[in-house]
Each structure stands twice: as C-alpha cells, then as structure tokens.
C-alpha cells in the first residue's frame, strides 16, 4: 500500500468516527471547522487519485436522519446542502466566479444560517399537506403531525395569491430561552440535560407523541421556495411568503456587492449572540432567480449560494484541577477548573466534562493545556488537549469511585453514562439540594428562604430533611447570621402559608426522581391522593397517560423507602395538601342547545375534560359532523376528513382558547 492510499484510508476512518460522535453520540470531539478541513483534504486526495474511489467514503454521503417509525416520502426537489466557506477570501472567489458566469449584474441576499433541523413543507390550495425532514436529501420522514403543532407554521395561508401547489423550505429551531427552560425542568426532574438546541429540535420532530412536541415550543424560519417561477428576486419572493403567513427572518439584507456582504457578516459575527436562536453562520445567495438558474446546481449544492461558517471561538488554557459535583439526585458531574481565559466576550474559569467517558476520550492528564470552545452549547466545553505540552510525569485524571462529599461508593446504572451516590439521606449536597428544590418558587415557594439560609440551617444541624423546616422556631431562625426578627417572621409566615399549596406542587416539591412539574400535575389529577399513589404498582402507574416505566419505577422505589414515608407523615401532620381538592364545578347554560364535535389534541385539557365542560355548561357532545352541529372544537392534528367535512358544511371551528372564553 502506498503512502497516498494509507493517508486516504486513515482520513476515512477518522472522519467516520467523527461522524458517529456527532450524529449518534452528540458528543463531537473536534470543531466543525476541523472536520470540514479534514473532509476537504480527503476530497482533494480522492479527486487526484480516482483509483481509490469508494462509494462508502464519508465524502460520498450527505448524512441521513431517516427513522423507520415514520413514513418515507420522496422529495419532489432533492434537498441539497450548501457548500461551506470559512474565510472572506473564499467569498471573494465565490463572487468572482458568479460574476464571470452571469449574463447580467446582480445583487446578493445575505441571511442568517439557522442551526436547527431542515424541513420541507408542501402546500396545496393554501393548506399544509405534508412536512418532510431532509432525510438523505432524496427522501425523508413524514413528520406532518408533529410539525402541525408548531405555532409559527401556518396551516392555512393568508391571502389568495399563492400558487395552487408549492413547496417551501426552512429550518425548525428551538429558541434559546425555551431550550434553557426545558433543561431547567429536566434538571428539576433529575433527567439528563439536552446538549444543544439543534439536537433537541431535531429530536423533538421525531417524537411519537405530537402533544409532547407541542409542549416543546419549537419555532421555524423559512428561506427557500424550490421550483417556483423565477420572475422575481429571491428576497422579494420571501417578502411575499411572509404575507402568506410564513416566518421570515427580519435580518435578511440585500447587498449590492461582495464587500457589503462581508461587512454584514462581520457585523453578525458578534451580534448573533444577542439573538434568541442559535446560528452557525450566514448564507449568501444570488438574489436574482433568473441568474440563479443560469448558475445552476452541482450534484450536492446550488452554485448560486454559499454558507459562511462562523468560527466557534476557541481558547487554549491550563487545566488546574477537576472537581466532582454531587447534585440533588446523587449524579456526580466532573467539572474542569481552568486558568481564567477570555472567550466570546466572557472570562471562562470552568468547563463541563459531562461524564467519565468524556474524560477518558479526551485522555485528560493533570495540568494539561486544553482547548475550550463555546459552540451551540451554553456552558463551555473542552474539545481537545494539546498533548505536545504535557509534562512527561503528568498523571491521568481518574474518575472518583467514592462520593467526594460523603464517601459512599458510586454506582453506574445500566444504560446511563453518569455515576451516582446512592446515599441520598446522608450525603450533604443531596440533602441541601433536596431542601432547595422543595422551597423553590415552582414548588412550595417559601419566601425569605434561600440556598444560603439552607446552608446555615444545615450546618447548625437544624434541618436534615424537608419536614424539619416545619419544626423551626422563631428563636432558632432569628439567631442565624444576618437574620433578624423580621426575616424570621417572614419565613415562618411563608411556611405556614405553604399549607395551601395544591397537591400537584407538593408532589413536585418532594423531588421524586423523574417526577417533573408536568408528571406531578398528571399524577395528582389521576391519583387524587398520596395514599393511592403510594399503593400503586408499577403496572398501574404506567396505565396513566404519559407516565412511562422509568417514572413509574422511580415512584415505586420512592415509596418503598420508609424514610420517605416518615417525612410524608410528618408533612401531613403539619397540614400540607396530599389530596387533590375537588375542583368547584362551575355550571351555566351558556352552551344550552348547542351540539359540539371535539377533534384533535389539545394543549391544556384532555378530551374527557372538554367533554365534561361541555356538559356542565348545558351543551351536548356529539361524535359526527352534520348540518345541526353548532361548532367543532378543534385542536392540533385534526383528521383530514373532519376538516374537509366542516369546510363543506360550513361549520365554524373554535380553538381551545376561544372555547374557554365562551364558557368563562
Ligand atoms: S438555503 C438550495 N438558507 O443549512 C439551498 N439554508 O448547510 C437550500 N440553513 O440544509 C438551503 N439557514 O438546513 C439556506 N438561510 C438559510 C439557511 C439554511 C440554515 C440550513 C439548511 C441547509 C443547511 C446547509
């Protein structure tokens, strides 16, 4: 084997590994930039040495998100990708080639490159027919039911001047504030955190339960209409699409020449951090669609467009130490303490290492010089080690095998990457975090008590669990550092008031692993009392809608522990709510004489609840649509035949919100 062949095989192997880390594990170990540089090098070698062609080379595939649980649909126009550029010089070359080939002067449209999941929507007669993921570019998954839950996507277009049938493409994204809130909820429920908004958006699109997708509050931006007549500019066609109801980025700019494009890109390189959505670059498109046609496509991408990728900001600094933090659920997370270094406008002192596997993969040693990056992720992470600067006697970083806080041995559960300390009743950070969770705003909302006071109370051995909070006396509280009579009064009053906090929130506050706010609400509603919940078997629990094996198992385990039962008994004795108060049934005759059909899935109520509401207000719930139907109460994912029928007969469709207003 000659040196060239060896080089080619080596690069293929390396790139395949990186692909796997990126797409399957979501744990890339090199930057996109480094990956693209290696891919380019391989492309060049393969081009110059065609005798080594291999259809399975990483240069030959576009990646696929095909999932067998969804119906496969062929794209009418293949979903191509964009060629990437990393320097202003490459943009100048792109411009020079276009100007040489084009028959007339033209402008550019310069757009943000949204970092999400691409989607193709098909509209017929102004109605959304199908939503298909990119898949392998030729065919993708039909995710229509899920896409219909995205509020910013029009199901019915406005106006009348849209083509009878057309396709529009865009990017499904998860806004950054939604992503942060989702991760906070997962943290509260003791679930593994999502790594970045892009993977979360594409993962959400593939969920089997579209009601759950609706809760993910996804968003979408549109940027391309393949196959439409080239009578106009691209920018102008998007403005028209905006009038039909599509969300188009307000930051798209027409630029007369490439210098103006470059200036605009420089502006967004730093400005993008102020947006509520992740972007990984900009896209530069020839605006005239006539000239676009002249320039045409290669097999993989349009010649009239190019992506400019922002460099993920990177810095090199020294690893000072690794600490192991223990969370409320006992999960042990390694954190790298770094020599402070400035990166993307902030000073970075710490970086997450996620779990033991990552430490091994990086082959991290004491005092290593490490590269930190702030990519789509919020917390900086270590992407690589500069091995050339390692001291010869540096020792490898080992994951601890006993809890750094209480000394209990750590265990790893099947299928999980994290190590856990199981000594939940004796491990100080677990005890304190459980109390902090309990007093939190979304749980018992104890005014005046915060993490600092909990720390003091713990150190003075006044509290060891949440029930102890209700035994605190005024003199104990008032004697604490920086606490006075007034603060002590406030805390006691707030603890007293927490006796009226509804059962669902009390259940959430207990901090049972995997029982987040939503599942606590469902369980409180379905089970009614803590007694019933405590007596339920795993099989019974999983019959409750949206309660899976993992949550059920955790609940059963929680109630098997007599220490937990003891805490609940003490809280009960203090008067906390452990039953769902029967909702005062409000009745009226507001729907009297009306026959109402329910169709689809709803955000705030189950269908049974809506049925009950209709009856309480004097209406009648009927199952099929006829001339005598007063209105259809419609949610997401209504059946197409029902929609067709209401249109035919002219029955009005009322949303969940409108319905609630009607009976208010
Ligand atoms: S245009 C034929 N415009 O980037 C041209 N793509 O790396 C179709 N993307 O697959 C793409 N923002 O998922 C275009 N403003 C934008 C974009 C954009 C994000 C994504 C898209 C595409 C990928 C290519």
């Amino acid at each position: 084997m000659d040196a060239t062949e060896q080089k080619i095989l080596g690069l293929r192997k390396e790139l395949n590994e990186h692909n796997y880390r990126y797409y399957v594990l979501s744990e890339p170990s090199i930057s996109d930039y480094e990956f693209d540089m290696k891919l380019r090098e391989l492309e060049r070698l393969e081009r110059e040495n065609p005798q080594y062609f291999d259809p399975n080379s990483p240069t030959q595939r576009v990646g696929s998100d095909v999932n067998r649980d969804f119906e496969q649909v062929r794209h009418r126009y293949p979903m191509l990708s964009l060629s990437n550029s990393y320097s202003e010089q490459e943009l100048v070359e792109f411009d020079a080639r276009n100007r040489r080939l084009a028959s007339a002067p033209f402008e550019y449209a310069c757009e943000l490159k949204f970092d999400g999941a691409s989607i193709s929507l098909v509209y017929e007669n102004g109605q959304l027919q199908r939503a298909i993921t990119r898949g392998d570019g030729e065919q993708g998954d039909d995710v229509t039911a899920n896409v219909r839950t995205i509020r910013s996507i029009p199901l019915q277009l406005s106006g009348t001047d849209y083509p009878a049938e057309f396709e529009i493409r865009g990017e499904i994204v998860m806004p950054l504030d939604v992503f942060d809130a989702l991760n906070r909820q997962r943290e509260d429920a003791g679930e593994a955190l999502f790594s970045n908004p892009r993977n979360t958006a594409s993962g959400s699109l593939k969920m089997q339960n579209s009601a759950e997708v609706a809760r993910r509050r996804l968003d979408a931006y549109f940027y391309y209409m393949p196959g439409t007549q080239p009578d106009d500019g691209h920018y102008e066609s998007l403005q028209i699409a905006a009038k039909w109801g599509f969300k188009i980025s307000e930051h798209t700019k027409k630029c007369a020449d490439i210098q103006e494009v470059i200036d605009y890109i420089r502006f967004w390189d730093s400005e993008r951090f102020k947006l509520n959505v992740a972007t990984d670059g900009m896209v530069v498109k020839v605006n005239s669609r006539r000239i676009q046609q002249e320039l045409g496509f290669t097999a993989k991408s349009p010649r009239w467009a190019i992506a400019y990728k922002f460099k993920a900001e990177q810095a090199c600094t020294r690893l000072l130490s690794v600490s192991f933090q223990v969370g409320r659920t006992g999960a042990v997370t390694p954190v790298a303490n770094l020599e402070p270094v400035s990166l993307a406008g902030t000073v970075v002192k710490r970086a997450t290492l996620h779990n033991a596997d990552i430490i091994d993969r990086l082959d991290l040693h004491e005092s290593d010089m490490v590269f930190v990056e702030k990519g789509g992720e919020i917390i900086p992470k270590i992407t690589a080690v500069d091995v050339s600067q390692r001291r010869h006697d540096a020792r490898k970083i080992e994951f601890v095998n006993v809890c750094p806080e209480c000394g209990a041995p750590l265990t790893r559960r099947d299928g999980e990457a994290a190590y856990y300390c199981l000594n939940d009743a004796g491990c100080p950070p677990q005890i304190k975090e459980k109390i902090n969770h309990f007093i939190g705003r979304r749980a018992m909302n104890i005014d005046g008590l915060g993490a600092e006071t909990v720390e003091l109370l713990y150190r003075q051995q006044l509290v060891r669990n949440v029930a102890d909070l209700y035994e605190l006396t005024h003199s104990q509280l008032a004697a604490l550092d920086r606490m006075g009579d007034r603060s002590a009064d406030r805390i006691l009053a707030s603890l007293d008031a927490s006796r009226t906090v509804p059962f669902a929130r009390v259940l959430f506050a207990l901090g049972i692993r995997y029982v987040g706010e939503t599942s606590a609400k469902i369980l409180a509603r379905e089970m009614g009392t803590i007694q019933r919940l405590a007596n339920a078997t795993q099989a019974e629990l999983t019959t409750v809608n949206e309660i899976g094996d993992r949550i059920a198992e955790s609940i059963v385990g929680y109630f098997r522990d007599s220490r937990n039962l003891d805490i609940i008994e003490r809280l009960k004795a203090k008067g906390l709510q452990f039953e769902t108060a029967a909702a005062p049934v409000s009745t009226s005759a507001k729907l009297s004489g009306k026959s109402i059909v329910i169709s689809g899935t709803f955000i705030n109520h189950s269908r049974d609840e809506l049925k009950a509401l209709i009856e309480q207000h004097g209406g009648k719930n009927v199952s099929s649509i006829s001339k005598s139907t007063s209105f259809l109460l419609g949610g997401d994912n209504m059946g197409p035949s029902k929609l067709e029928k209401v249109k035919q007969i002219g029955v009005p469709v009322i949303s969940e919100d409108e319905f609630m207003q009607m009976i208010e």
Side-chain angles (χ1 to χ4, degrees), residues 439-456:
I439 62 179
R441 203 170 49 80
R442 310 184 76 107
M444 303 305 283
N445 191 18
I446 309 296
D447 214 19
L449 254 190
E452 267 174 53
T453 316
V454 169
E455 178 69 44
L456 290 177

Side-chain angles (χ1 to χ4, degrees), residues 78-84 111-119 134 169-171 222-224 234 252 280 282-283 285 297 301-302 304-305 307 309:
M79 277 181 94
L80 301 176
S81 61
L82 292 169
S83 56
N84 286 331
E111 301 173 354
L112 291 169
K113 186 169 188 305
F114 296 104
D115 199 10
S118 42
I119 195 80
R134 177 186 153 82
R169 297 204 172 147
E171 202 82 355
F222 290 86
Y223 47 64
Y224 181 48
H234 161 77
T252 296
D280 61 343
M282 309 241 355
V283 183
K285 297 174 181 170
F297 294 84
S301 53
W304 44 264
K309 299 284 270 254

Side-chain angles (χ1 to χ4, degrees), residues 176-240:
L176 300 183
D177 57 352
V178 174
F179 175 75
D180 289 343
L182 183 64
N183 260 352
R184 268 199 304 277
Q185 269 176 22
R186 291 179 73 87
E187 197 165 16
D188 281 346
E191 292 172 319
L193 300 192
F194 287 129
S195 68
N196 62 49
R198 180 200 46 232
N199 291 354
T200 317
S202 62
S204 303
L205 270 189
K206 299 290 182 71
M207 291 202 297
Q208 297 297 329
N209 176 352
S210 48
E212 186 58 37
V213 183
R215 260 179 246 126
R216 291 275 171 102
R217 290 185 287 153
L218 297 170
D219 201 351
Y221 290 91
F222 290 86
Y223 47 64
Y224 181 48
M225 282 191 280
T228 45
Q229 282 308 306
D231 47 358
D232 240 328
H234 161 77
Y235 177 86
E236 289 73 16
S237 72
L238 290 184
Q239 304 311 310
I240 295 172

